[in-house]
Amino acid sequence: MQIQAILPGKGRDLRLDLFRGVANWAIYLDHIPDNVVNWITTRNYGFSDAADLFVFISGYTASFVYAKMMLERGFIVGGTRLTKRVWQLYVAHIVLFVIYIVSIGYVAQRFSDPDIINEFNVAGLVDSPIETLRQGLLLKFKPVNLDVLPLYIVLMGLFPPVLWLMLRRPDAVMIGSFALYFAAREFGWNLPSYPSGTWYFNPFCWQLLFVFGAWCALGGTTRSRSIINSRPMLWFCIAYMLFALVMTMAGRFSAFGELFPTWLYDAFNPNDKTNLAPYRFLHFAVLVVLVIRFVPKDWKGLEWPIFDPLIKCGQQSLAVFCVGVFLSFVGHFELLMSSGSLLAQIIVSVSGITLMTVVAHYITWSKKQDKPVRPAVAKTEAAQPAGLAASASTVAAAGTDVGSPAAAPSAGAGQT
């Protein structure tokens, strides 16, 4: 089949890093209950939240990274590289899973607070630890706040054939994704959880956001540019954003919610996150349209220093996400043990985000140290006049040992 997808242009899209950083910070703040600071996150002002953003960007990035590889080197190479990434995600999840449940168990025992075990859904470890751990390895047992990464693992694991077909029939794959989404909602399809229930993020429904991200990356937004830039679309987006804000506030404040007819209020409250309600997906799609329209890839504001912490956290997304999930438990426990005052909430929130940013900067610095740098001798020769540099090169070729630094190959420290 002929390739119909439009591959993204060369160069890093800092918008992805910026919004992935926003998602990581918001997930950390949203995972801390009774924290006034999480009122700054998007979940309080519309139907979608940081989880939607995380899944969408994951699909976009997977296509951005592996589509060209699959075209140039074949399906097998592209598919195995995707599988390698899935394995990295799985290992990260298992490490986080073990540290998380051990921390919860230790805190519950150390402070004689068994309610924490129930609050974070790890009570099964007390009754049947071996089976609970086995189910955790199978991604069926998930403590509270550890639902996003298993969803990501499943979607990435099934993505190779989807990407192959999307490169050839992107619109057909997008239609198929919608069909699966509506079928899952109609027939109640979901994956089982342990010890009971189903996945909090239904992968049959949330795949829609992942595939939508891939579709946008492979030319969907380019082909839809005339619609995105039209005035009717702009007014529709503004109107829907205001409607989503009103309905969300109605759910947050009961007195305000009583002003609306019951049928209208009940249609949007509570917000169906598990099965990705249609109004939730539409809200996120509207946000995507507005970003594409008003935040171009070459926007100079992306280079402002104020955005650097967010961009760094987005570039090291997996590590920052894992650290943020763990820190959200630490922050929640600190607020329980302290007064829980406004000052304490602000300190916990700022401290966690600062630590996440430090981790991101350290990983960025560490990766640069693993790359070879240009030897000092080469830099000195480059600064000399041409004749002197040629003479120096002749002498070096005649008397330099092969194993010395001067003979080592040089390479620039590329962008990570």
Side-chain angles (χ1 to χ4, degrees):
M1 288 187 287
Q2 185 179 3
I3 303 299
Q4 295 185 1
I6 302 174
L7 296 184
K10 294 182 179 180
R12 188 153 197 156
D13 191 342
L14 291 180
R15 294 177 302 178
L16 296 177
D17 298 326
L18 174 66
F19 288 114
R20 196 157 40 187
V22 169
N24 277 323
W25 286 15
I27 288 173
Y28 165 71
L29 294 174
D30 289 341
H31 282 174
I32 304 177
D34 302 319
N35 178 22
V36 69
V37 181
N38 63 30
W39 269 95
I40 68 174
T41 64
T42 56
R43 72 172 183 175
N44 301 289
Y45 307 101
F47 299 132
S48 61
D49 61 20
D52 307 63
L53 180 58
F54 184 88
V55 174
F56 171 83
I57 293 181
S58 299
Y60 192 108
T61 305
S63 299
F64 184 88
V65 173
Y66 297 103
K68 186 176 181 181
M69 182 183 299
M70 190 172 286
L71 288 176
E72 293 179 347
R73 303 172 64 184
F75 173 77
I76 299 299
V77 173
T80 54
R81 296 309 89 193
L82 270 166
T83 304
K84 179 183 178 181
R85 180 58 175 169
V86 172
W87 174 249
Q88 293 171 343
L89 294 171
Y90 180 77
V91 170
H93 171 69
I94 295 304
V95 172
L96 175 61
F97 171 79
V98 172
I99 294 175
Y100 198 66
I101 61 176
V102 168
S103 301
I104 294 171
Y106 172 78
V107 167
Q109 182 182 41
R110 174 69 176 78
F111 294 91
S112 301
D113 189 358
D115 291 338
I116 292 181
I117 293 179
N118 294 318
E119 181 181 355
F120 284 87
N121 191 34
V122 295
L125 287 170
V126 178
D127 302 327
S128 51
I130 301 300
E131 180 61 18
T132 301
L133 289 175
R134 187 180 78 87
Q135 296 293 338
L137 294 176
L138 296 174
L139 304 181
K140 288 186 176 182
F141 169 68
K142 297 179 287 296
V144 172
N145 297 337
L146 259 63
D147 301 279
V148 175
L149 209 50
L151 172 69
Y152 187 15
I153 292 170
V154 169
L155 295 178
M156 283 285 286
L158 299 174
F159 193 53
V162 176
L163 179 58
W164 183 91
L165 187 58
M166 177 161 276
L167 286 169
R168 292 154 177 83
R169 296 290 187 272
D171 294 338
V173 173
M174 193 70 249
I175 293 172
S177 178
F178 272 107
L180 177 59
Y181 165 79
F182 285 113
R185 288 183 58 85
E186 176 66 23
F187 299 110
W189 298 342
N190 200 342
L191 296 180
S193 289
Y194 179 86
S196 62
T198 56
W199 281 37
Y200 180 69
F201 292 102
N202 184 348
F204 294 105
C205 295
W206 279 78
Q207 55 79 27
L208 179 63
L209 269 176
F210 191 87
V211 174
F212 179 55
W215 180 81
C216 290
L218 297 179
T221 55
T222 301
R223 294 189 297 272
S224 307
R225 178 65 67 173
S226 60
I227 299 175
I228 292 173
N229 291 335
S230 66
R231 185 173 294 274
M233 175 58 72
L234 176 61
W235 286 114
F236 170 78
C237 291
I238 294 174
Y240 192 76
M241 291 287 290
L242 292 174
F243 174 75
L245 173 63
V246 171
M247 287 294 100
T248 302
M249 288 299 169
R252 293 285 188 272
F253 303 100
S254 57
F256 183 58
E258 293 174 356
L259 301 176
F260 298 92
T262 302
W263 62 267
L264 179 61
Y265 177 89
D266 292 344
F268 301 97
N269 293 285
N271 189 332
D272 183 8
K273 188 172 185 177
T274 293
N275 296 309
L276 190 68
Y279 55 81
R280 186 183 181 103
F281 174 79
L282 180 58
H283 181 261
F284 184 81
V286 163
L287 288 174
V288 171
V289 168
L290 293 175
V291 169
I292 293 172
R293 182 168 182 144
F294 294 108
V295 187
K297 181 180 179 180
D298 57 353
W299 180 47
K300 295 300 182 182
L302 295 170
E303 300 176 2
W304 292 350
I306 191 174
F307 291 137
D308 185 64
L310 282 166
I311 290 175
K312 281 293 188 293
C313 286
Q315 290 173 345
Q316 311 301 334
S317 179
L318 179 58
V320 171
F321 171 82
C322 293
V323 170
V325 170
F326 175 74
L327 290 177
S328 66
F329 164 70
V330 175
H332 178 36
F333 180 72
E334 286 292 333
L335 292 180
L336 287 176
M337 294 294 101
S338 67
S339 61
S341 64
L342 175 61
L343 179 60
Q345 296 170 38
I346 294 175
I347 291 175
V348 164
S349 300
V350 173
S351 299
I353 288 176
T354 300
L355 288 173
M356 292 163 65
T357 304
V358 169
V359 168
H361 277 275
Y362 170 76
I363 295 175
T364 301
W365 174 84
S366 180
K367 287 182 177 180
K368 289 181 179 179
Q369 308 317 305
D370 293 334
K371 295 177 182 273
V373 297
R374 186 179 299 275
V377 174
K379 294 181 179 179
T380 303
E381 290 178 355
Q384 293 175 342
L388 293 177
S391 300
S393 299
T394 304
V395 174
T400 303
D401 184 69
V402 175
S404 68
S410 62
Q415 184 181 14
T416 56

